[in-house]
Amino acid sequence: MGCMVSQLAAKFAFFPPSPPTYHLKKRDDGKLTVVSPAAPIPHADDTSLDVLLVDTKHGNKIVAFYLRNPYARLTLLYSHGNAADLGQLYDLFVQLKVNLRVNLMGYDYSGYGASTGKPSESSTYADIEAIYQCLETEYGVSQEDVILYGQSVGSGPTLHLASKLPRLRGVVLHSGILSGLRVLCHVKFTFCFDIYKNINKVKKVKCPVLVIHGTEDEVVNWLHGNGLWKMARESYEPLWIKGGGHCNLELYPDYIRHLCKFIQEMENMTTEKRLKKIRQSAKESKSNTCSTCSSCCRMKCCRVKCPDCSNCCSDCMNVSWSINCPECCWRPSCIKGCCFLKFPSCLGSFCCTKCSWPSCCGVTKCSLPSCYPKCARPSCCCKSCFCWQCCVGKHSNGTKGKQNG
């Protein structure tokens, strides 16, 4: 049932233009050129454009346009939306290349334009991975110099790749979606058969995220963009275009103005500044951890609030017990010297002379003289009783016993 729903959602998600607005032709010198009877096409002698055929791991060949800008410092990897292919987008690509002063790589998904195969969620993931690899190998572009741009359905492969690349310069989500079913059915839960679960992936993106959305979007409600912006770890100032729909945001002056501002700030964010910000974030995270726990707990921090130690972390003292060896005492895998019991030399475990962890116990006498005089587990003691059940007053000796330990 889930598979059928997923396939149905995929059918609603992909609308490649039929017939395609362009086709490819090989020139005498072996290079590819674009032929289109209707859409604006690049000039055959345009040296600033490379027309590529890229192989994906699914065995498809996808078409990509790489547009050079001699003044560019960053590269924009553009994943387009539905009902469009590269033949229709070329004019927009040229404008973005010039106005944003970037190199731009755009591509058609499998089954779109002159790309082979059929469109699906998994194929779009393979498509963008292949294009990014092409940028690295063919053009020497590192992820620190890449900004991923995803429009509508393109937000899916964009966030898929962004969640895997920790050193990206930035991400732009243009009319992005929270998930496929949330667009179709307005559900509030994530199902296993849902597609493009951006609601989960946006939280993993470690670079600035710019969200652009129209307030009157009739296809993908503005709440999708607002949700993505709120859940991003490093949200950039969003652009809510008042009155903007789903396919006309590029016509508003605020669109290119705000996008230029974002690109300029990403250019100024050098690698050194980025690393400094990451270190500062790690330092703040480390300072929030409990210093007392790190010094007194050998294994890992506990999980119930410690009643005695105000310096402990809020989660302290979830004690789990395990047998270390057949003739050894029970040992808590996590116990704090400042909580529960206080032992001067051995904080991590209770060991006997036959224990396989003799180095973790430095005591030779029982540090709690209130143990029972007759211990039911004499093999666990080091000269004197050191059985934890005795020490905490819970050993029964086979009878009801006393509880005064």
Side-chain angles (χ1 to χ4, degrees):
M1 177 65 181
C3 182
M4 293 177 61
V5 175
S6 181
Q7 292 177 358
L8 179 63
K11 288 183 179 180
F12 278 102
F14 303 105
F15 300 96
S18 182
T21 63
Y22 72 98
H23 63 271
L24 300 181
K25 181 179 179 181
K26 185 173 287 187
R27 301 191 310 189
D28 294 337
D29 58 2
K31 292 185 178 181
L32 294 173
T33 186
V34 179
V35 178
S36 175
I41 59 172
H43 194 273
D45 297 328
D46 186 0
T47 58
S48 66
L49 171 71
D50 291 343
V51 180
L52 309 168
L53 268 180
V54 181
D55 295 317
T56 74
K57 63 183 180 182
H58 286 184
N60 297 327
K61 291 183 179 293
I62 58 174
V63 181
F65 289 177
Y66 181 75
L67 291 79
R68 296 183 183 83
N69 187 320
Y71 305 102
R73 294 172 56 187
L74 302 177
T75 298
L76 197 70
L77 201 170
Y78 194 105
S79 300
H80 63 73
N82 267 326
D85 61 20
L86 292 181
Q88 297 167 313
L89 293 169
Y90 173 73
D91 189 50
L92 173 64
F93 287 172
V94 172
Q95 294 182 38
L96 292 177
K97 178 192 78 168
V98 174
N99 292 324
L100 302 181
R101 200 177 61 179
V102 294
N103 298 317
L104 191 146
M105 173 73 89
Y107 66 101
D108 265 338
Y109 310 122
S110 297
Y112 277 71
S115 297
T116 65
K118 293 183 178 180
S120 68
E121 180 186 14
S122 60
S123 68
T124 59
Y125 293 159
D127 296 340
I128 195 171
E129 289 172 0
I131 292 299
Y132 174 74
Q133 186 177 8
C134 176
L135 279 176
E136 282 191 317
T137 56
E138 298 296 326
Y139 297 98
V141 179
S142 61
Q143 64 173 285
E144 292 87 352
D145 297 326
V146 173
I147 294 177
L148 299 184
Y149 190 113
Q151 178 187 12
S152 188
V153 168
S155 60
T158 292
L159 286 175
H160 166 77
L161 184 62
S163 64
K164 295 185 174 184
L165 301 178
R167 301 191 307 275
L168 278 174
R169 188 62 65 97
V171 169
V172 180
L173 301 177
H174 174 159
S175 303
I177 65 175
L178 288 170
S179 75
L181 286 180
R182 282 176 170 84
V183 176
L184 294 176
C185 309
H186 306 289
V187 295
K188 295 183 179 181
F189 303 97
T190 300
F191 297 92
C192 60
F193 49 82
D194 201 352
I195 65 172
Y196 293 134
K197 301 172 186 176
N198 296 339
I199 191 172
N200 299 330
K201 294 181 180 179
V202 70
K203 303 172 186 177
K204 302 177 183 179
V205 179
K206 298 179 180 179
C207 63
V209 177
L210 165 62
V211 178
I212 303 174
H213 216 105
T215 60
E216 301 298 327
D217 193 323
E218 69 287 356
V219 178
V220 180
N221 192 282
W222 168 83
L223 293 174
H224 285 255
N226 189 48
L228 292 171
W229 173 66
K230 287 183 176 180
M231 285 181 287
R233 295 172 61 172
E234 190 174 345
S235 299
Y236 186 82
E237 178 188 355
L239 175 60
W240 311 129
I241 298 182
K242 188 176 181 179
H246 190 69
C247 302
N248 62 350
L249 300 188
E250 297 89 349
L251 303 178
Y252 289 80
D254 286 345
Y255 166 80
I256 197 66
R257 187 183 302 120
H258 199 79
L259 202 51
C260 282
K261 178 184 174 183
F262 176 73
I263 296 296
Q264 289 173 2
E265 290 191 22
M266 295 304 102
E267 287 180 344
N268 296 332
M269 185 185 292
T270 61
T271 302
E272 183 179 355
K273 290 182 179 179
R274 231 3 231 153
L275 292 175
K276 184 178 179 181
K277 192 170 185 179
I278 293 173
R279 292 192 195 102
Q280 180 66 24
S281 177
K283 186 177 180 181
E284 291 176 358
S285 177
K286 186 176 180 181
S287 65
N288 290 333
T289 60
C290 172
S291 59
T292 307
C293 288
S294 62
S295 62
C296 66
C297 185
R298 285 206 176 192
M299 292 302 192
K300 57 185 178 180
C301 198
C302 316
R303 303 234 176 182
V304 181
K305 188 171 182 179
C306 171
D308 299 328
C309 178
S310 60
N311 291 328
C312 273
C313 55
S314 59
D315 293 339
C316 178
M317 214 184 126
N318 178 22
V319 181
S320 59
W321 305 91
S322 60
I323 298 179
N324 297 320
C325 59
E327 297 182 353
C328 192
C329 337
W330 289 77
R331 177 179 73 93
S333 61
C334 176
I335 188 165
K336 295 179 54 55
C338 61
C339 312
F340 193 49
L341 298 175
K342 301 181 183 292
F343 298 100
S345 302
C346 180
L347 303 179
S349 59
F350 304 99
C351 302
C352 60
T353 55
K354 297 180 182 181
C355 182
S356 58
W357 292 279
S359 61
C360 67
C361 187
V363 296
T364 57
K365 294 182 180 181
C366 180
S367 55
L368 292 181
S370 60
C371 292
Y372 275 39
K374 294 181 179 181
C375 178
R377 295 178 59 85
S379 63
C380 74
C381 305
C382 301
K383 293 188 178 181
S384 295
C385 175
F386 206 56
C387 177
W388 76 271
Q389 290 172 308
C390 288
C391 298
V392 300
K394 294 184 179 180
H395 197 66
S396 63
N397 285 336
T399 64
K400 290 183 180 181
K402 302 176 182 180
Q403 297 292 330
N404 60 356

